[in-house]
Amino acid sequence: MGVFTPAVKENAGKIKNNRSSDTVMEYVMYAIAVVFLVMLMYPLYFIVIASFSDPSAVAGGQVWLFPKGFTLDGYKELLKHQNIWIGYRNTILYTVVGTIIGLAVNISAAYALSRKDLAGRKFLSLFFIFTMFFNGGLIPTFLTIRDLHMYDTFLVMVLPFSVGVYNIIVARTFFQTSIPGDLWEAAQIDGCGNLRYFAQVVLPLSKAIIAVLALWIAVGHWNSYFNALIYLKNPDLHPLQLILRNILITNQMQSGMGTGEAAQIALRLANMMRYSVIIVATVPIMCVYPFVQKYFNQGVMIGAVKE
């Protein structure tokens, strides 16, 4: 056994050096990750502390880590607008209903395209992908929505734009890589049909991708204001984002039209509300993320694998 002792010692030394190198690399990667985390999180943190700070301190660059001249005037002035609560109600309805419709449409289409026995599967896939690069434009879309009698209705915010081709592609890849084909054969032997198999077998096994798509679709609906700007004229149907936009524009106009001390007060309130609006619009949807975070990485990584 003594003959092999030098070789064993040499290998042990190499293993030790490799472990040391791996440890150093691990610390370097952690350091880089922390730097990127700070770079990504600081702008959001700055918006939070700026919303509680005096606007003159923010404009003067005095706000870095903590609020300066703590005040809640921006939030108080913002919450005086009663239509904010109408906007919250509408946005929540649009987000919930739109997410349900979007999931039903995109998940169903993705599963159908993932089935190799679907007639015309390649043509349909190319047809969907074609729409990612070419579309009719704003005017034909507006005329179509008007002719379908959806203009200035609740449906225009949840139905016409429910199909997301990127979501379909990601979900289709998930089904192809994560749902074994043997399950369908076993289900057929037990007398299971397509719809029952999809509802009782495929969907329970697809919680990860469903959670990811639900988050993507919900965030899209929550942040949407352009469709409301184009297709809604009834203020009672306006979502939160559009109402907040109108409040900011109105305050900026008032501060620009006034003179003297009144103009200075209006400008100060407008600057304070600028950051308060971002917090009011962002915090509710951010609270949803922790509930789907455990599925997020798994769903994105599996669904991102291309054929």
Side-chain angles (χ1 to χ4, degrees), residues 7-300:
V8 171
K9 289 183 177 180
E10 182 180 356
N11 291 334
K14 290 182 178 179
I15 293 173
K16 185 177 181 179
N17 290 334
N18 290 336
R19 287 180 178 175
S20 300
S21 300
D22 291 342
T23 301
V24 172
M25 182 58 66
E26 186 176 353
Y27 283 122
V28 170
M29 296 303 295
Y30 278 131
I32 294 174
V34 169
V35 171
F36 275 102
L37 179 64
V38 172
M39 292 173 60
L40 292 173
M41 293 300 296
Y42 181 76
L44 180 59
Y45 175 72
F46 175 80
I47 291 172
V48 173
I49 60 177
S51 68
F52 295 106
S53 301
D54 187 273
S56 58
V58 177
Q62 301 176 22
V63 178
W64 286 89
L65 296 177
F66 304 101
K68 296 287 185 179
F70 185 87
T71 177
L72 295 174
D73 290 345
Y75 291 97
K76 291 177 181 178
E77 185 67 22
L78 183 62
L79 295 177
K80 286 181 181 178
H81 297 268
Q82 296 299 322
N83 52 356
I84 283 182
W85 307 114
I86 297 176
Y88 261 121
R89 180 201 65 191
N90 292 337
T91 297
I92 291 172
L93 287 174
Y94 294 149
T95 301
V96 173
V97 177
T99 301
I100 293 173
I101 293 176
L103 284 176
V105 172
N106 293 308
I107 292 293
S108 300
Y111 172 69
L113 292 175
S114 71
R115 291 283 298 270
K116 295 182 179 180
D117 56 346
L118 175 67
R121 173 171 169 263
K122 291 185 178 180
F123 170 78
L124 290 174
S125 297
L126 292 174
F127 179 80
F128 277 102
I129 294 173
F130 180 84
T131 62
M132 294 180 68
F133 303 98
F134 303 96
N135 59 72
L138 180 59
I139 295 177
T141 303
F142 179 88
L143 295 176
T144 300
I145 288 175
R146 185 196 63 183
D147 293 342
L148 291 174
H149 305 289
M150 287 192 291
Y151 178 74
D152 201 27
T153 65
F154 177 86
L155 290 177
V156 76
M157 294 298 293
V158 298
L159 194 58
F161 309 99
S162 57
V163 176
V165 178
Y166 177 78
N167 294 338
I168 291 176
I169 293 174
V170 172
R172 181 198 65 180
T173 307
F174 178 90
F175 291 136
Q176 290 174 338
T177 57
S178 303
I179 307 297
D182 296 339
L183 284 178
W184 169 237
E185 296 177 1
Q188 281 183 307
I189 294 174
D190 292 336
C192 185
N194 282 294
L195 290 177
R196 185 179 177 186
Y197 172 73
F198 176 67
Q200 297 185 359
V201 179
V202 175
L203 291 182
L205 296 175
S206 306
K207 292 179 180 178
I209 196 64
I210 291 174
V212 171
L213 293 188
L215 180 63
W216 288 350
I217 296 171
V219 170
H221 280 288
W222 186 271
N223 292 329
S224 176
Y225 80 94
F226 183 75
N227 290 338
L229 185 65
I230 300 298
Y231 303 114
L232 293 178
K233 63 180 180 180
N234 184 357
D236 292 335
L237 294 175
H238 284 176
L240 177 66
Q241 307 295 342
L242 186 57
I243 289 175
L244 294 177
R245 172 185 176 274
N246 293 338
I247 291 174
L248 280 180
I249 292 175
T250 301
N251 278 271
Q252 292 289 345
M253 291 177 60
Q254 290 177 350
S255 63
M257 294 171 60
T259 57
E261 185 178 354
Q264 294 296 324
I265 294 174
L267 181 61
R268 182 174 181 273
L269 288 175
N271 289 334
M272 284 192 298
M273 289 174 61
R274 185 183 307 166
Y275 296 104
S276 304
V277 161
I278 298 175
I279 299 301
V280 169
T282 305
V283 168
I285 195 65
M286 290 181 63
C287 294
V288 177
Y289 180 77
F291 296 99
V292 297
Q293 189 270 337
K294 64 179 180 180
Y295 300 110
F296 194 80
N297 292 337
Q298 179 186 356
V300 170

